[in-house]
Amino acid sequence: MIKQTMTEKKKVVVIGSGIGGLSTAIYLARNGYEVSVFEKNSFIGGRCSHLVQEEHRFDLGATLLMIPDIYDRAFKAMGKNMFEEMQLKRIDPVYRVVYANGKELRFTRDLEKMKAQLEDIEPGSAEKFLRFMDESIQNYRISMKAVIEKNYYSAYDFFNPKTLSILLKVKALRNHYKLASQHFKSDILRSAFTFQNIYVGQNPFQASAVFAMLPFLEITEGVYFPVGGMYEVIRTMLDTCKELNIPVHTNAAVKEIPVTKNRVKGIKLKDGSFHGADIVVSNADLPYVYQELLPKEDIPSRMKRLRYTCSAVVFHWGMDKSYPELLQHNVFVAEQYKKSIDAVFNGDVFHSDFSFYLHSPVKNDPTAAPAGQDSISVIVPISNMKSALNSNWQDIREHVREIVFRRLEMEGLTDFRKHIKFEKCFTQNAWKSIFNLSEGGTFGSLNHDIFQMGYMRPGNQHKKFRNLYFVGGSTHPGNGVPMALISARLTTEKIIKTNKPKT
């Protein structure tokens, strides 16, 4: 990361205390800036926060730590050691993929066990799996260096012969599901190696093949879980903020970003107070900032054409018992996989037979619930608010819950609903009202398709107000916690490079 010496500290205001906002605040403070963070909610961490009730703890967003190398580098840039700050457990099998026909696949780093499972489902698929994995990991390393982990200062930085040839090489213009279909004949394996697109709110049947690396990274790089939940990442950052004297204000919702000519002046809170700044960094959802915090006449026409991720109904259930048949991470795949996905992305809200994810944290972290109990979360992808206009979210919640119960009963958890102590549920309205996620796009608001990638994704510096920067999932490089950490580094580097210190 770029370092600089400053004779007079520049004031920076960070809007939002998500993982991207806190990381950027720490990086800038370590580079000599005077930083303050303002968070609209009473809690810190955005979608990397947690919910605690009756000694049950639930992660609000990410439930696994994948691509640990990105976290490790981020922690080192903050002056911390990830493995000293958190008690990390490597998860293996990573997850259990369950099909309606009784088939099951456990993603494991034990290649012999993995190959045996694949051969049982589709004879001859083990060797294809190894080739697919090798190809995908190579493409991942190339695209990270050439496309993802770099700033763009002009269109030519992206639209040049070298970058375009790399995009072709890593199959960025190809379709992920079609690529998986070239390696596997079985619908089971095709879905098993493509459903991971939902991690970033994408349609597996439309996503770029560059995302083929996701399932293989889980195997090769490993998946971890911090004891205490993913909020442990935020806790470490909060401790670092205290060490660096970075104030983090809660219940401090921003009403407006006042501007003058081609610069922003700071932020005005909903309580009427004004906080001046030389630089403003927004970790709030980017479309929300353009639509709600900046002058309406400065909204680019492109904002109206942006494509959004899907939303999700998320149930958090405090259970008075634990189910040994569950792993920590479980994916229940719909019998009609494609139809269930199409319903989500075509605006039908959800299909009557849908896929969903279930998290049972006590399998590796007994502190997540009282002894002998569990804190189960279920994530059901559904259409976002833009796709599903005039929907009755209350009815949707009830309907989705019942389908989940029936599927779990079909899988042998016949008494599941009887052992729920309490429920907390997040729908599209909650994602929008609590986290200001445009259209209730749970997975980072903006879709991460090929035409919203690299230079074509909304940039991390405002084109008119040059001292306004963006960080997080809705700007470059994209959605997900690892990408938000990379975003923080890139935004910090751009701030330092484009803002000369006062003399």
Side-chain angles (χ1 to χ4, degrees):
M1 186 176 293
I2 299 172
K3 294 274 187 180
Q4 75 168 5
T5 302
M6 304 185 72
T7 56
E8 183 181 336
K9 288 187 176 183
K10 284 191 172 185
K11 290 186 178 181
V12 180
V13 161
V14 177
I15 303 172
S17 68
I19 202 162
L22 291 180
S23 302
T24 306
I26 292 167
Y27 294 158
L28 289 172
R30 283 173 59 84
N31 275 276
Y33 291 81
E34 181 181 335
V35 187
S36 299
V37 180
F38 293 82
E39 167 58 50
K40 74 178 283 282
N41 291 310
S42 60
F43 57 88
I44 303 297
R47 284 167 294 135
C48 209
S49 187
H50 61 189
L51 170 69
V52 180
Q53 181 172 326
E54 299 178 24
E55 299 182 60
H56 290 267
R57 188 187 65 246
F58 309 89
D59 288 315
L60 290 185
T63 58
L64 46 79
L65 191 156
M66 64 178 295
I67 323 183
D69 174 64
I70 292 175
Y71 286 84
D72 188 39
R73 285 185 284 142
F75 270 62
K76 286 176 180 175
M78 297 176 205
K80 301 291 181 179
N81 184 308
M82 176 175 76
F83 293 96
E84 292 177 0
E85 296 295 332
M86 299 185 292
Q87 182 183 347
L88 294 172
K89 291 190 175 182
R90 184 160 186 169
I91 309 302
D92 193 61
V94 176
Y95 45 69
R96 167 175 167 257
V97 187
V98 185
Y99 294 87
N101 64 1
K103 289 286 186 180
E104 182 178 305
L105 178 64
R106 298 191 176 206
F107 269 67
T108 173
R109 61 185 298 209
D110 186 325
L111 289 182
E112 292 308 311
K113 287 183 178 179
M114 190 70 184
K115 287 160 63 178
Q117 292 182 88
L118 295 172
E119 286 294 317
D120 181 58
I121 295 170
E122 180 186 319
S125 62
E127 289 304 314
K128 296 175 184 177
F129 158 76
L130 293 175
R131 289 197 298 271
F132 195 12
M133 179 166 65
D134 182 62
E135 172 189 302
S136 297
I137 293 301
Q138 287 188 46
N139 289 343
Y140 161 74
R141 290 171 179 158
I142 293 169
S143 60
M144 286 293 283
K145 182 178 180 180
V147 180
I148 296 172
E149 293 202 63
K150 63 180 289 186
N151 270 311
Y152 295 96
Y153 295 90
S154 70
Y156 187 75
D157 289 343
F158 185 79
F159 296 105
N160 60 70
K162 181 179 178 181
T163 301
L164 293 176
S165 66
I166 288 172
L167 290 173
L168 290 173
K169 183 176 182 179
V170 301
K171 299 180 172 61
L173 304 180
R174 303 260 316 265
N175 177 280
H176 185 185
Y177 192 86
K178 288 182 180 178
L179 180 64
S181 298
Q182 291 179 0
H183 291 273
F184 306 117
K185 297 177 182 179
S186 163
D187 288 339
I188 288 178
L189 296 187
R190 289 173 178 179
S191 62
F193 287 90
T194 58
F195 79 83
Q196 295 84 359
N197 284 280
I198 296 294
Y199 289 174
V200 288
Q202 291 198 118
N203 183 341
F205 294 91
Q206 297 176 357
S208 165
V210 76
F211 291 97
M213 48 76 173
L214 285 172
F216 300 111
L217 285 174
E218 293 169 334
I219 295 172
T220 58
E221 303 296 312
V223 166
Y224 292 81
F225 188 73
V227 173
M230 287 296 290
Y231 186 74
E232 287 298 290
V233 179
I234 297 296
R235 179 195 57 75
T236 302
M237 292 182 178
L238 274 176
D239 290 344
T240 308
C241 285
K242 292 175 183 176
E243 294 168 7
L244 295 171
N245 296 314
I246 302 171
V248 181
H249 306 278
T250 55
N251 297 306
V254 177
K255 179 181 180 181
E256 177 189 357
I257 301 176
V259 304
T260 175
K261 295 183 179 179
N262 63 343
R263 296 185 66 79
V264 299
K265 298 188 289 185
I267 59 172
K268 183 179 180 181
L269 301 185
K270 288 187 176 179
D271 65 10
S273 61
F274 172 75
H275 301 266
D278 298 299
I279 296 165
V280 173
V281 179
S282 177
N283 185 212
D285 182 51
L286 184 145
Y288 173 84
V289 174
Y290 275 91
Q291 294 162 8
E292 302 295 334
L293 304 184
L294 290 170
K296 297 290 189 253
E297 61 269 22
D298 290 305
I299 300 177
S301 59
R302 184 191 176 198
M303 286 292 135
K304 299 176 183 178
R305 302 192 301 271
L306 292 173
R307 293 169 298 284
Y308 295 86
T309 67
C310 65
S311 188
V313 174
V314 179
F315 296 101
H316 299 297
W317 289 311
M319 309 295 296
D320 65 11
K321 67 173 288 187
S322 180
Y323 290 88
E325 51 266 66
L326 295 172
L327 296 186
Q328 178 168 355
H329 305 291
N330 309 265
V331 178
F332 296 89
V333 179
E335 186 173 9
Q336 301 180 71
Y337 178 63
K338 187 176 188 306
K339 284 186 177 180
S340 70
I341 295 293
D342 287 345
V344 171
F345 291 94
N346 292 342
D348 295 329
V349 187
F350 63 93
H351 189 264
S352 58
D353 170 33
F354 53 68
S355 303
F356 63 90
Y357 162 82
L358 186 151
H359 184 224
S360 173
V362 296
K363 297 302 183 294
N364 287 286
D365 181 7
T367 70
Q373 301 184 27
D374 206 345
S375 302
I376 284 180
S377 299
V378 165
I379 302 175
V380 182
I382 61 173
S383 302
N384 62 43
M385 299 173 83
K386 187 173 184 178
S387 299
L389 297 174
N390 304 315
S391 296
N392 186 319
W393 305 118
Q394 178 70 21
D395 289 348
I396 289 169
R397 181 180 66 183
E398 301 302 318
H399 196 176
V400 168
R401 182 197 293 113
E402 185 60 30
I403 294 174
V404 170
F405 286 160
R406 289 205 303 264
R407 177 64 189 268
L408 293 178
E409 289 164 359
M410 186 181 79
E411 298 297 335
L413 280 65
T414 55
D415 62 348
F416 187 88
R417 68 176 84 200
K418 297 177 184 178
H419 289 278
I420 296 175
K421 297 163 61 178
F422 64 85
E423 173 186 289
K424 294 292 182 181
C425 180
F426 289 76
T427 63
Q428 297 92 328
N429 286 331
W431 299 116
K432 186 173 183 178
S433 63
I434 298 173
F435 301 104
N436 290 335
L437 290 168
S438 300
E439 309 300 344
T442 310
F443 302 91
S445 176
L446 291 186
N447 200 338
H448 202 203
D449 60 40
I450 187 63
F451 297 107
Q452 290 185 170
M453 187 184 296
Y455 182 79
M456 293 182 286
R457 195 168 184 81
N460 53 13
Q461 183 178 18
H462 197 284
K463 291 187 180 297
K464 178 179 179 180
F465 307 116
R466 303 303 287 168
N467 62 331
L468 173 60
Y469 297 82
F470 301 95
V471 67
S474 51
T475 185
H476 175 66
N479 305 325
V481 177
M483 294 300 104
L485 290 170
I486 293 174
S487 171
R489 177 174 60 79
L490 295 178
T491 299
T492 300
E493 288 179 356
K494 185 171 280 190
I495 288 170
I496 294 172
K497 184 172 182 177
T498 58
N499 286 270
K500 302 297 182 182
K502 295 179 180 179
T503 56

